[in-house]
Amino acid sequence: MSLRGTHLVGIRFTEADLGGVDFRDCTLEDCRLAEANLRAADFTGADLRGADLGELTIAIAAQFRGAVISPDQAAQICTALGLNVMS
């Protein structure tokens, strides 16, 4: 399925099978991706700053390669890697 370039608002993808979905250049605003199957989904250029990505582990973070994320989301990924983020 291709959602390329769309602006998605308020969609709850919790536990959805999104494997292989093309999210390139999408904006996900107030969307929830926690516990979704993201295997082989393409988030290149997607803006995920307004999305709830759930608990970000290393494996889950790798699925979002190429996406734009917020500083808070980046800090969660660093925490999953065992890094301490200081300002």
Side-chain angles (χ1 to χ4, degrees):
M1 175 188 323
S2 178
L3 297 172
R4 186 175 188 172
T6 59
H7 187 136
L8 305 172
V9 179
I11 300 174
R12 302 292 179 238
F13 290 114
T14 304
E15 298 180 356
D17 184 357
L18 303 174
V21 174
D22 182 358
F23 286 102
R24 289 179 292 165
D25 303 317
C26 280
T27 299
L28 282 79
E29 182 181 334
D30 194 31
C31 293
R32 183 167 169 76
L33 294 168
E35 301 174 26
N37 169 17
L38 303 173
R39 187 181 62 251
D42 189 350
F43 287 94
T44 305
D47 185 344
L48 304 178
R49 292 175 292 176
D52 177 356
L53 306 179
E55 183 179 340
L56 289 173
T57 64
I58 297 166
I60 293 170
Q63 296 292 327
F64 298 121
R65 179 164 301 174
V68 175
I69 60 173
S70 72
D72 288 338
Q73 291 165 327
Q76 289 176 27
I77 292 169
C78 289
T79 299
L81 291 169
L83 301 171
N84 294 316
V85 179
M86 302 174 80
S87 54

